[in-house]
Amino acid sequence: MNALFDLVGAFFTHPECFRVLVWWLALAGLGIAFLPLTLRLFRGFHDGGYLFARVLGLLLTSWAVWLAASIGLAPFSGTTISAAVALAAALNYAPASARSGVREFLRHKARIVVAEEYLFLLAFLAWAFLRSVKPEVDSIEKFMDLGFVNAVLRAEWMPPADMWLSGK
């Protein structure tokens, strides 16, 4: 049992743990940006589909950035991603009814939002902890996945260069 406490303590005191919190904040911000759309789509849900806002934000933003880079409209970069999130947030919050709907939702469902946020943070930290215990790239598919991810990260335009046919 002491070994588990030592592992958890090492995880939370490691300087890289800060990155986990930055990712959580980025996902929370993305969820807030897409909250008006989520409240409209999931209006029948007791919590308004609050946690689905992150999923919609990731899905729609990544699709828009991929599409823009695929048709040559904008390069695949952090700037394009930030611009896509800002544009989506502006479009989501443009109608006054969306802003008032989000305020009303947060006023009446604050306890549910806080509880879901704690639940998400707990699951996110638990998964980050589990990945930190054995972060090595050592199994069959991980090398290929790493190659694909690196090809995408190096690409300025979509589709990325095929890592198996480099230079062809």
Side-chain angles (χ1 to χ4, degrees):
M1 194 64 154
N2 285 338
L4 179 64
F5 288 128
D6 290 343
L7 277 174
V8 172
F11 173 74
F12 282 110
T13 58
H14 195 278
E16 295 293 316
C17 184
F18 177 73
R19 291 180 189 241
V20 175
L21 296 177
V22 169
W23 267 101
W24 172 68
L25 286 173
L27 290 172
L30 195 58
I32 296 297
F34 280 84
L35 191 56
L37 176 63
T38 305
L39 292 176
R40 281 193 300 273
L41 291 176
F42 297 99
R43 79 182 99 220
F45 284 44
H46 178 67
D47 65 347
Y50 176 75
L51 288 178
F52 287 115
R54 295 167 203 247
V55 176
L56 278 176
L58 281 172
L59 178 70
L60 295 176
T61 303
S62 59
W63 178 75
V65 171
W66 172 82
L67 186 63
S70 293
I71 63 175
L73 187 63
F76 181 72
S77 67
T79 306
T80 305
I81 294 168
S82 298
V85 171
L87 179 64
L91 290 174
N92 275 314
Y93 284 93
S97 62
R99 292 189 298 274
S100 65
V102 168
R103 277 194 301 272
E104 189 72 20
F105 168 75
L106 291 175
R107 187 177 309 122
H108 291 300
K109 304 287 185 172
R111 291 183 71 186
I112 293 172
V113 168
V114 169
E116 288 181 359
E117 203 59 50
Y118 278 132
L119 180 65
F120 180 82
L121 179 60
L122 181 66
F124 194 64
L125 286 172
W127 189 253
F129 170 72
L130 288 175
R131 275 307 295 151
S132 73
V133 172
K134 192 170 189 301
E136 299 88 19
V137 178
D138 64 353
S139 64
I140 306 259
E141 291 293 320
K142 288 183 183 177
F143 290 108
M144 191 164 38
D145 294 344
L146 185 64
F148 287 135
V149 168
N150 282 330
V152 169
L153 291 176
R154 279 191 225 114
E156 188 172 339
W157 302 98
M158 292 290 131
D162 190 334
M163 66 182 183
W164 303 115
L165 300 172
S166 181
K168 299 195 187 243

